Amino acid sequence: MAEGIKIATRESFGQALCELAKEHDDIVVLDADLAAATKTEIFKKAYPERFFDCGIAEGNMIGVAAGLAAAGKVPFAASFAMFATGRAYEQVRNSVGYPHLNVKIAGSHAGISVGEDGATHQCCEDIALMRTVPGMVILNPADHYEMIEAVKAAYAYNGPVYIRLGRLAIDSFNDPDNYSFEIGKGITLEEGNDVTVIATGLVVYEALKAVRALKEKGINARLINMHTIKPIDKDIIIKAAKETGKIITVEEHNIIGGLGEAVAAVTAESYPVPVYRIGVEDIFGHSGPAIELLAEFGLNKDGIERKILEIIKK
Amino acid sequence: MNKSDISELKKTACRVRLWTVEGVFNAKSGHPGGSLSAADIMTYLYFKEMNVDPKNPKDPKRDRFVLSKGHCCPALYATLALKGFFPTEEIKSLRHVGSMLQGHPDMKNTPGIDMSSGSLGQGISAACGMALSAKLSGDGYRVYAMLGDGECEEGQVWEAAMFASHYKLDNLVAIVDYNGLQIDGSVEDVAGLDKLNEKFKAFGFEVFETDGHDFEQIEDVLNKAKEVKGKPVAIIAKTIKGKGVSYMENQVGWHGKAPNAEQYKTAMDELNAQLKALEA
């Protein structure tokens, strides 16, 4: 296995764009005065003629992206998740979603791990918002290698895609020599039949560490990395429901509207089992170092392990 | 443009108005006022100005038209049908279940529609994206966006205006159908848009004004627009809401309602009489 690296998925995203752009001259990148933060600046330096700063005007940026896509380009439009999906929600719905245009929207600084900027910038609603747009694909990669492959898959797919990016540098855990990404297909990271943990994005590695610690305590939990929230992988969820009888979801997002509800909708309709949601429990975040906030919100290894233990004792 | 060209355009515009009323009447809803005010400009664009081919509606090098004031699509559908993008009979299905003619433009299902629109303020941004794409590809096509005057109250219009100016989109022409009325009353009473000309100038546009019902003036400003280099163009077109149907003209109540059977007959009689006079 290649050596793991510690890097924020926003950085991986910027690198992935540059790699893709070498082969595809239809890629253009838009940002809304956050290129240094979303890491589209990596692309901007390499391909200045294909980078367009839209200024602090996210609604217009999404509309411009729609027009570029309608004219045959493949635009990646990046901002903070809060503004790309919140401020510009209606532009995403009407100018991108309704005409099903080939626009890729990147929302950086998602979740509470934004840290010190506090609640106004800690977007825990982006997945919920994007889930409501018909035809929108939602990708939430968990580490560097997954992000690289997710960006390639987003480009190869013809239609609107939302990609969630994190600010915090995180350890990679996937093996790039033995990894494949397919939109809509969850990845089983650990086998087990006592309970299934389904995690997404930045907290997958924390969940992995928690599940491994539980194995040592005799609890055999299955762990699924659900990098695609929409379309959700129904087969892997139903199989897990049948084989383990209980599901716990983990996400750095409001428990309303996110991964947990997407999973619960599948089980409720196809094979009802209890589904417990670990996430941000319908509250706003606040300022502080990201690592401390993840601990406070129970979204680090220890917090996830503790909650899994509480749940399986019920 | 000679007299016979102008006469042909006038007749076509009259047919656009007839089919606009036909569509809205059959739909039992829709927006006749702003459709009728925009009919002459749309007629000029599709029958004189734009490089479009109804047999090849997706030609990558075609000129684009974005109806940012998407609710006025009855006039656009009539124009596209008369141009040959689809049969005029389709217009009678406007807003019906299963129709390709939606209440607001749908680029996925209607031949000739370059952008889905309807949520005000958004079309102009998409038009900027198309104009930027033409610059990147080196395609020489031009992009025309039509906005309502009331629509200019949307902040996104001015975000787009900054963008168009910053990226020197001289292949973009924003045409404001300035009929002076919006749903809640006159534009000046509702929110105030006075000195729109100065506003666009301050945002870096070359601005022209025209009578939006005078084909010679429309031709003149659109030709001037083509000479402008290094900045986008805004054309403020003074128009009459409901133009061509006497009881609808300058009446805010006809922004968004369909005529009843009697009103429909009156409108069609008036427009047919205008057409007959032009053909005489």
Side-chain angles (χ1 to χ4, degrees):
Chain A
M1 175 170 168
E3 200 178 329
I5 56 169
K6 188 166 190 171
I7 180 174
T9 52
R10 56 180 168 141
E11 189 97 30
S12 317
F13 167 75
Q15 293 177 10
L17 284 180
C18 280
E19 280 303 307
L20 263 184
K22 280 182 194 164
E23 292 168 33
H24 305 287
D25 59 10
D26 52 2
I27 291 179
V28 293
V29 175
L30 308 174
D31 207 303
D33 194 41
L34 288 168
T38 64
K39 299 301 172 189
T40 60
E41 70 175 4
I42 301 169
F43 180 94
K44 178 184 177 180
K45 279 180 190 143
Y47 300 96
E49 71 289 352
R50 283 196 263 164
F51 176 85
F52 301 94
D53 206 318
C54 298
I56 309 164
E58 297 80 6
N60 178 61
M61 175 177 72
I62 296 297
V64 168
L68 283 160
K73 298 287 185 288
V74 184
F76 283 74
S79 180
F80 285 179
M82 188 71 257
F83 314 127
T85 69
R87 171 71 67 98
Y89 174 78
E90 204 236 312
Q91 285 82 0
V92 172
R93 180 196 185 274
N94 277 323
S95 287
V96 175
Y98 178 47
H100 201 70
L101 286 168
N102 196 21
V103 173
K104 317 303 171 187
I105 300 157
S108 176
H109 289 54
I112 53 163
S113 59
V114 169
E116 291 82 352
D117 275 355
T120 54
H121 288 56
Q122 293 165 337
C123 186
C124 297
E125 305 87 7
D126 51 328
I127 292 171
L129 289 164
M130 293 299 96
R131 281 180 70 210
T132 65
V133 178
M136 180 68 70
V137 167
I138 303 172
L139 306 179
N140 188 19
D143 76 352
H144 171 73
Y145 299 112
E146 193 161 84
M147 179 59 79
I148 299 284
E149 296 306 313
V151 173
K152 286 183 200 165
Y155 173 80
Y157 170 81
N158 184 15
V161 178
Y162 173 63
I163 310 171
R164 191 180 216 224
L165 321 178
R167 170 175 184 259
L168 182 66
I170 50 170
D171 290 308
S172 65
F173 59 90
N174 283 303
D175 175 4
D177 300 327
N178 187 25
Y179 177 82
S180 70
F181 182 96
E182 191 181 341
I183 290 174
K185 291 286 174 205
I187 298 170
T188 303
L189 293 176
E190 291 284 330
E191 295 291 350
N193 284 324
D194 292 341
V195 63
T196 297
V197 177
I198 304 178
T200 188
L202 181 136
V203 291
V204 171
Y205 188 45
E206 298 304 307
L208 179 62
K209 287 184 283 186
V211 164
R212 283 177 179 164
L214 288 168
K215 289 233 154 114
E216 288 175 16
K217 294 175 182 170
I219 295 159
N220 280 313
R222 182 177 302 185
L223 177 64
I224 294 166
N225 168 15
M226 198 68 90
H227 54 63
T228 306
I229 311 289
K230 187 182 172 184
I232 196 91
D233 186 346
K234 290 183 182 174
D235 293 344
I236 206 168
I237 295 169
I238 294 166
K239 186 166 179 280
K242 285 179 179 168
E243 291 175 1
T244 72
K246 191 179 278 188
I247 292 175
I248 299 168
T249 60
V250 189
E251 59 192 311
E252 194 200 4
H253 184 276
N254 195 335
I255 56 169
I256 292 175
L259 170 72
E261 286 193 354
V263 168
V266 173
T267 57
E269 289 180 354
S270 300
Y271 196 87
V273 297
V275 175
Y276 301 90
R277 296 166 297 157
I278 299 175
V280 178
E281 296 180 358
D282 201 25
I283 53 171
F284 289 105
H286 57 78
S287 292
I291 299 293
E292 288 179 31
L293 292 176
L294 287 168
E296 180 190 329
F297 281 76
L299 291 170
N300 62 358
K301 177 248 172 194
D302 288 345
I304 294 166
E305 184 184 350
R306 190 173 63 245
K307 284 194 185 172
I308 293 172
L309 279 169
E310 282 169 22
I311 290 164
I312 58 178
K313 278 178 192 159
K314 280 182 186 172
Chain B
M1 209 164 43
N2 59 35
K3 275 187 180 170
S4 129
D5 291 336
I6 294 170
S7 171
E8 279 309 308
L9 285 171
K10 283 183 175 173
K11 281 183 256 180
T12 303
C14 201
R15 292 185 190 105
V16 166
R17 289 193 165 90
L18 278 160
W19 280 106
T20 296
V21 173
E22 187 70 46
V24 174
F25 173 67
N26 279 278
K28 298 187 176 67
S29 68
H31 299 84
S35 296
L36 294 169
S37 67
D40 294 310
I41 296 163
M42 285 187 197
T43 298
Y44 186 88
L45 286 172
Y46 276 91
F47 286 84
K48 208 75 192 167
E49 180 76 8
M50 288 168 56
N51 172 33
V52 290
D53 177 4
K55 292 187 188 69
N56 189 11
K58 298 277 184 197
D59 180 357
K61 304 215 168 178
R62 72 191 186 279
D63 288 335
R64 265 74 167 177
F65 178 72
V66 179
L67 185 61
S68 203
K69 48 175 268 178
H71 56 284
C72 297
C73 55
L76 180 56
Y77 296 155
T79 307
L80 290 172
L82 290 165
K83 182 74 180 173
F85 282 90
F86 49 83
T88 47
E89 278 304 300
E90 287 285 338
I91 291 169
K92 292 179 181 171
S93 74
L94 171 64
R95 289 178 166 238
H96 290 201
V97 172
S99 174
M100 69 150 126
L101 302 179
Q102 293 295 295
H104 292 82
D106 172 11
M107 68 185 289
K108 291 198 308 298
N109 292 308
T110 312
I113 296 289
D114 292 322
M115 182 65 204
S116 301
S117 60
S119 178
L120 296 176
Q122 296 191 25
I124 176 82
S125 295
C128 287
M130 292 172 183
L132 179 62
S133 185
K135 292 273 180 196
L136 282 170
S137 308
D139 293 330
Y141 66 79
R142 293 171 67 74
V143 183
Y144 299 88
M146 181 178 264
L147 298 102
D149 45 4
E151 182 181 7
C152 293
E153 291 156 14
E154 284 283 3
Q156 188 173 346
V157 170
W158 303 102
E159 293 183 6
M162 271 185 275
F163 182 91
S165 174
H166 184 70
Y167 287 105
K168 302 182 168 53
L169 301 179
D170 53 18
N171 52 348
L172 174 77
V173 180
I175 303 168
V176 180
D177 178 14
Y178 207 128
N179 61 37
L181 296 173
Q182 59 187 112
I183 296 176
D184 281 352
S186 85
V187 174
E188 281 319 300
D189 287 345
V190 173
L193 203 60
D194 196 22
K195 300 190 180 65
L196 185 62
N197 178 326
E198 298 296 323
K199 290 180 173 75
F200 272 108
K201 273 185 192 160
F203 277 75
F205 280 61
E206 186 72 30
V207 183
F208 300 110
E209 295 185 42
T210 183
D211 177 336
H213 303 304
D214 181 321
F215 287 113
E216 281 175 293
Q217 284 192 39
I218 294 169
E219 178 186 49
D220 183 49
V221 291
L222 284 170
N223 284 341
K224 281 180 182 158
K226 276 178 278 207
E227 303 302 317
V228 174
K229 299 294 171 213
K231 56 178 169 174
V233 170
I235 293 173
I236 317 258
K238 189 79 190 66
T239 58
I240 294 167
K241 198 153 183 163
K243 170 78 174 174
V245 177
S246 61
Y247 63 88
M248 289 188 187
E249 288 192 0
N250 287 319
Q251 295 301 310
V252 72
W254 287 101
H255 171 89
K257 80 171 176 186
N260 62 27
E262 192 184 331
Q263 291 162 334
Y264 163 74
K265 188 178 179 304
T266 306
M268 296 305 269
D269 286 349
E270 285 183 19
L271 290 166
N272 275 315
Q274 290 167 32
L275 184 59
K276 207 172 172 188
L278 287 165
E279 284 170 344

